[in-house]
Amino acid sequence: MHPAQAPRTPPTGAQPPASALRGRLAGVLTPLGWGTLAGAVVLYAAGFALGYPEPVVLATGAVLALAGALAWTAPKPLLEVRREVTPLKVPRGEAAVAVLTVTNLGRRGLSGLRAQDRIGASEHTVDLPRLPKGAVRTVSYPLPTDTRGEIPVGPLVLVRADPFGLTRRLREYGRPVTLLVRPRTVALPVPPSGKAHHLEGPASDNAPAGTVTFHTLREYVLGDDLRHVHWRSSARTGTLMVRQFIDASLPTTTVLLDTRGLTEPAVDAAASAAVAAARAGFPVRVVTGDGPLPDTKTDAETVLDRLALVRPGTSGVTEALRTARGGGSLVLVTADPSEAGRIAGARRRFDRVICVYVGPGPAPAGPPGVTVVPITSLDELPAAWSSR
C-alpha cells in the first residue's frame, strides 16, 4: 500500500474524535436523549459556575439515566425474524397481509421491541409484546390494496428502546418484497367471433394440419405425447420439457385499452375481457396507445401482471387500431365517446367489434356493426356484456 494511502491508527488509549463519538451516539440517542444530555451539560455548568450542588445532582441523575438506557439497548438481541407477504399478487381491493414472526433465541427476555415496516411511501409500526426466552410472537397487519400497481414492502426494521425513550437501536432484517395489486375481474363469456371456427375450440393438439404453431415449453405431465419432448431444454434444465402448440386458426381477441384519462373501471373491464378469452384457451392481444403489452398470448396470469402496471398515457388509440392485426374479436375500452365512431372502419377487419364505454354522460350511439357496452362500474359489466 502506498504510504499516503495507509490508514492512520490512533495511539493506544487515545480518545476517538468528537465527530466520531457524535456519529455513534446519533445511532442510539433519541431526540429526548439528546435533550437530556444537553440539559445535563447545562446543569453541570450552572452548578459549578454558581456554586450550587443541586444542579450538579440533577445533572448526575440525568447522566446515570442515559448510561442505564445505553446499557439497556446496547446488547444485540439474538432474534429470528421472518416477514411474509401473502398473497404476493392480489386483485385490487382484496385482502393482503404481512405476517411477522419473531423468535427470541437469546438467554434473556426482551421487551421494548417495535417493528417498523416500509409500505410504499408510508411506514407501518407494530409494538411487539414482551418476548421471554425462547418465545415466539406472531403479528399480522393489513397491506393497502386500493391502488393498482407494484407496492414495495420493506425493509423491515426492529427498534429496541429503553423504558424512558432515551435511546434506541435499529436493526434491519430480511429483504424488501413487492406486492403486485392487479386489476379486478368479473366472469364474462368469450365474445363470439361471428365466423365458424373449429368446433374443437382450444384443443390445439388436435387442430387440423397446417394450423398448429409452437407456443411455449412447459414441464412434462403424465399423458403428454413423447414426440413433443424438447430434449435439448430437458438436458439443460434437468426437467423433462415438452413443446406446447396452439391452433393458429383459433379466433383472437384483441383488447384495445385507451389510456387517456385512465380509470380503474376501464382497466378492470379490459382485464375481464382479456382474461375471459385467455382462460378459455383462445389467443389474446392486449394493446394500448403506447403499443402491445408483451407476452400476453393465452396466459391469463401474465395478462393480469401486465395490466397491473398500465399507467395513464397521452397517446390515442387511432394508430394502435390502424396497425392492429385483424381477425377475431376487437374489444375497445375507452372513456372517449368519439372513439366509438372511429372504430367503425375496423369492422371490415374484425369479425366482431365491441366498445366498452366507461366515460361520463350518456353512451354514444355505435355505428353499424359496433356493439356499445356502457358501464360506470365493473359490477355492471356482466349484465351489460351479456345483453348485447
Side-chain angles (χ1 to χ4, degrees):
M1 179 179 292
H2 193 278
Q5 297 176 335
R8 300 170 60 183
T9 305
T12 304
Q15 297 297 320
S19 59
L21 179 61
R22 187 165 57 249
R24 294 176 189 176
L25 289 176
V28 294
L29 289 184
T30 64
L32 178 60
W34 280 110
T36 303
L37 179 61
V41 172
V42 172
L43 288 173
Y44 267 123
F48 282 113
L50 300 176
Y52 292 119
E54 290 83 358
V56 176
V57 172
L58 292 176
T60 302
V63 171
L64 290 176
L66 283 172
L70 289 170
W72 179 282
T73 57
K76 182 178 180 179
L78 296 177
L79 298 173
E80 180 182 351
V81 180
R82 292 179 299 160
R83 190 254 289 111
E84 298 178 354
V85 173
T86 179
L88 284 173
K89 298 179 181 181
V90 61
R92 182 175 56 87
E94 295 194 8
V97 297
V99 180
L100 175 64
T101 303
V102 182
T103 304
N104 184 7
L105 304 178
R107 299 179 180 179
R108 302 168 45 193
L110 294 174
S111 59
L113 286 177
R114 184 169 67 251
Q116 294 178 345
D117 207 358
R118 174 71 58 178
I119 304 174
S122 61
E123 188 174 76
H124 187 83
T125 301
V126 178
D127 290 321
L128 298 174
R130 174 176 169 76
L131 274 171
K133 173 185 175 182
V136 180
R137 294 286 186 265
T138 300
V139 295
S140 62
Y141 41 95
L143 301 176
T145 62
D146 53 346
T147 302
R148 179 178 46 83
E150 291 182 326
I151 299 178
V153 181
L156 175 71
V157 176
L158 281 191
V159 182
R160 190 183 184 201
D162 68 277
F164 301 105
L166 300 176
T167 63
R168 64 176 183 176
R169 292 278 183 175
L170 284 73
R171 292 180 175 88
E172 188 173 305
Y173 292 87
R175 296 180 179 179
V177 298
T178 300
L179 170 67
L180 184 64
V181 181
R182 294 161 146 186
R184 289 180 57 211
T185 59
V186 291
L188 298 177
V190 180
S193 65
K195 290 185 179 180
H197 292 265
H198 300 297
L199 296 179
E200 294 90 349
S204 58
D205 288 338
N206 298 323
T211 65
V212 175
T213 58
F214 172 75
H215 173 50
T216 188
L217 291 174
R218 60 171 174 80
E219 292 187 13
Y220 172 86
V221 295
L222 188 63
D224 281 339
D225 191 339
L226 292 178
R227 293 175 297 178
H228 294 163
V229 172
H230 194 270
W231 297 108
R232 182 177 299 177
S233 298
S234 301
R236 185 174 63 253
T237 62
T239 303
L240 199 59
M241 306 294 292
V242 296
R243 300 179 183 88
Q244 182 179 348
F245 298 92
I246 62 171
D247 183 358
S249 68
L250 291 175
T252 298
T253 299
T254 300
V255 178
L256 182 55
L257 176 60
D258 189 352
T259 56
R260 296 169 301 169
L262 190 67
T263 62
E264 293 305 321
V267 182
D268 296 344
S272 298
V275 166
R279 287 179 176 166
F282 292 98
V284 178
R285 289 192 297 264
V286 182
V287 185
T288 70
D290 297 324
L293 302 187
D295 303 325
T296 49
K297 297 181 181 179
T298 59
D299 187 354
E301 296 300 308
T302 304
V303 168
L304 292 172
D305 290 349
R306 297 291 185 267
L307 284 172
L309 305 179
V310 168
R311 290 292 175 258
T314 57
S315 301
V317 296
T318 302
E319 181 63 19
L321 181 61
R322 186 184 67 81
T323 58
R325 191 163 64 248
S329 300
L330 171 66
V331 179
L332 169 66
V333 182
T334 182
D336 185 352
S338 63
E339 292 295 347
R342 293 195 185 107
I343 63 173
R347 183 66 182 87
R348 298 188 300 270
R349 295 189 292 121
F350 293 91
D351 305 335
R352 181 81 184 273
V353 177
I354 300 173
C355 175
V356 179
Y357 177 69
V358 293
V370 176
T371 302
V372 178
V373 179
I375 62 170
T376 57
S377 68
L378 181 65
D379 296 332
E380 299 174 2
L381 182 58
W385 184 275
S386 301
S387 63
R388 301 287 168 167

